[in-house]
Amino acid sequence: MSASKKFAAVTGAGSGIGRATAIALANAGFTVALIGRREEPLLETRETIRIAGGAASVFSADVTSEASIEQAFSRIAHEFGRLDVLFNNAGRNAGAVPLDEYSLDFWNDVVATNLTGVFLCARAAWRLMKTQSPQGGRIINNGSISAHSPRPNTIAYTATKHAVTGITKSLALDGRAFNIACSQIDIGNAATSLTERMTRGVLQADGTMAPEARMDVTHVANAIVHMASLPLEANVLNMTIMATTMPFVGRG
């Protein structure tokens, strides 16, 4: 195996930020493991990469299932031989729901995907990065603007994204002994199908409804490629990338 060949895994690679990032990583020379629940969109991502001359493989897995993730990363280790980068991206949106209307099932579903899923994928990648030779790698977690500031009525989503920041800091600390770097990218209003509703108006902190600016998702993908391409002696611990005029800083 060429010492210069790099391998990356992207969860939630079938659409949105995950697909854009997988394509960008492949264009940058990474061989990419495409991870997600539904095989068909993963195959579409792989075909886009193949047409552009890149290399990718599909690994169907559910990030909320320990057995599913362990199996996927075992297959990655067998097929690739190592893993240099994990973009821990898979997550689910959770619309605005008043606290007194939250069901426990809804809360548990958001936590299972956005928090437990991040943990399971990070643990599986960590085990591989710790034992491979040369040792080490990089884990990039997808946080959110909500890791800093909530939207109205989003307690579950906001709690999980704040918790992802804790995971990032813990892994960045604990990874020092094993040459494993950990980063977090907090994204505000990338133009994907999940944020289409923002162009029509979303609830603001002052109770009004207002449309919000979005940015091309390729800017996010290119930022992740930059983070992924750094030597392990350097790390972007936290990056916030956002639509310039979205209501995050200041008072709206």
Side-chain angles (χ1 to χ4, degrees):
M1 183 185 301
S2 170
S4 62
K5 195 165 187 179
K6 296 292 186 180
F7 299 90
V10 177
T11 64
S15 63
I17 292 168
R19 172 175 285 180
T21 300
I23 292 169
L25 285 167
N27 289 342
F30 286 84
T31 298
V32 186
L34 308 172
I35 302 173
R37 286 183 304 165
R38 297 185 298 123
E39 187 174 48
E40 183 175 353
L42 296 177
L43 292 172
E44 293 172 357
T45 303
R46 185 181 70 179
E47 181 63 10
T48 300
I49 290 172
R50 186 196 67 79
I51 291 172
S57 297
V58 168
F59 300 88
S60 297
D62 178 357
V63 299
T64 68
S65 166
E66 180 178 29
S68 181
I69 289 303
E70 290 301 312
Q71 182 181 47
F73 277 82
S74 177
R75 290 175 55 216
I76 290 169
H78 181 263
E79 181 171 331
F80 290 179
R82 66 177 290 109
L83 183 65
D84 298 290
V85 174
L86 166 65
F87 178 38
N88 215 350
N89 166 70
R92 59 152 294 173
N93 199 5
V97 179
L99 177 58
D100 55 333
E101 297 178 17
Y102 261 75
S103 70
L104 182 58
D105 285 344
F106 181 74
W107 169 272
N108 286 338
D109 187 51
V110 176
V111 170
T113 303
N114 290 1
L115 182 56
T116 304
V118 170
F119 159 74
L120 290 173
C121 293
R123 186 182 66 175
W126 184 279
R127 287 170 172 168
L128 182 51
M129 292 172 178
K130 181 179 176 180
T131 57
Q132 64 194 10
S133 181
Q135 187 184 61
R138 188 182 306 276
I139 297 170
I140 303 172
N141 293 325
N142 186 347
S144 171
I145 294 295
S146 291
H148 304 275
S149 181
R151 289 184 178 276
N153 297 326
T154 59
I155 188 172
Y157 187 83
T158 301
T160 57
K161 291 303 184 177
H162 274 65
V164 167
T165 300
I167 288 177
T168 299
K169 291 178 179 179
S170 289
L171 298 186
L173 174 61
D174 297 341
R176 293 174 182 174
F178 310 109
N179 207 26
I180 299 173
C182 189
S183 309
Q184 181 166 317
I185 185 164
D186 297 319
I187 303 161
N189 290 6
T192 68
S193 59
L194 289 178
T195 60
E196 179 63 32
R197 62 189 176 85
M198 293 180 180
T199 64
R200 300 186 296 272
V202 290
L203 184 63
Q204 302 297 307
D206 63 0
T208 62
M209 298 289 291
E212 294 187 9
R214 300 189 301 164
M215 61 178 170
D216 195 303
V217 70
T218 58
H219 300 313
V220 177
N222 291 337
I224 295 166
V225 169
H226 168 69
M227 297 165 77
S229 300
L230 289 171
L232 289 176
E233 66 184 27
N235 187 37
V236 177
L237 180 62
N238 294 103
M239 176 187 287
T240 299
I241 182 167
M242 53 180 273
T244 303
T245 60
M246 70 170 293
F248 173 53
V249 294
R251 297 181 179 270

